[in-house]
Amino acid sequence: QVQLVESGGGLVQAGGSLRLSCAASGRTFSSSAMGWFRQAPGKEREFVAGINWNGGSTYYGDSVKGRFTISRDNAKNTVYLQLNSLKREDTAVYVCAAQRDGMNWPIQHSGRYAYWGQGTQVTVSS
């Protein structure tokens, strides 16, 4: 059974940082693109960041460029999201996702992802 389990969320003050992790089990994703999405109450799911199979290419949503960094460790079957300079508007449930194989475009499109985690809450206070 494939599972993606996120961790690292929490309550942080504006301007602070968090590091989210997404540990995969049940199969290896070393040849798959992976991504992070977020959803705030009453809002649509939003693409946050994506990464290709070896970490050589990364992609970001406009609202997080320059503040968030996605990375991966294929030996650990884990993808990370470093969140810096957090703002109140970053408050959301952050969800990890994995594509089945390779890189399917557009990476920003949630429909390109076959596996999803349950999410971890990030709350930014002023």
Side-chain angles (χ1 to χ4, degrees):
Q1 182 183 358
V2 175
Q3 280 192 311
L4 301 178
V5 179
E6 301 93 337
S7 61
L11 175 64
V12 63
Q13 287 192 326
S17 298
L18 283 174
R19 189 193 194 204
L20 307 184
S21 299
C22 171
S25 62
R27 60 156 283 185
T28 178
F29 288 99
S30 59
S31 62
S32 303
M34 297 187 73
W36 286 93
F37 291 77
R38 68 185 182 185
Q39 189 160 18
K43 293 190 176 181
E44 302 258 333
R45 179 183 291 172
E46 177 187 13
F47 170 78
V48 175
I51 189 167
N52 77 328
W53 69 276
N54 67 353
S57 297
T58 56
Y59 310 86
Y60 296 95
D62 289 341
S63 60
V64 307
K65 278 180 185 175
R67 299 188 299 123
F68 292 6
T69 303
I70 189 171
S71 61
R72 66 190 298 164
D73 184 338
N74 285 342
K76 296 181 179 179
N77 219 19
T78 299
V79 65
Y80 305 96
L81 186 68
Q82 179 69 39
L83 291 67
N84 294 332
S85 302
L86 282 160
K87 305 175 182 180
R88 285 194 65 184
E89 52 263 43
D90 294 319
T91 295
V93 175
Y94 284 71
V95 183
C96 170
Q99 296 192 1
R100 196 171 300 277
D101 278 297
M103 173 80 86
N104 297 292
W105 294 100
I107 195 172
Q108 299 87 344
H109 196 296
S110 61
R112 298 294 182 263
Y113 295 82
Y115 306 98
W116 293 84
Q118 293 296 309
T120 185
Q121 176 72 45
V122 172
T123 303
V124 184
S125 64
S126 58

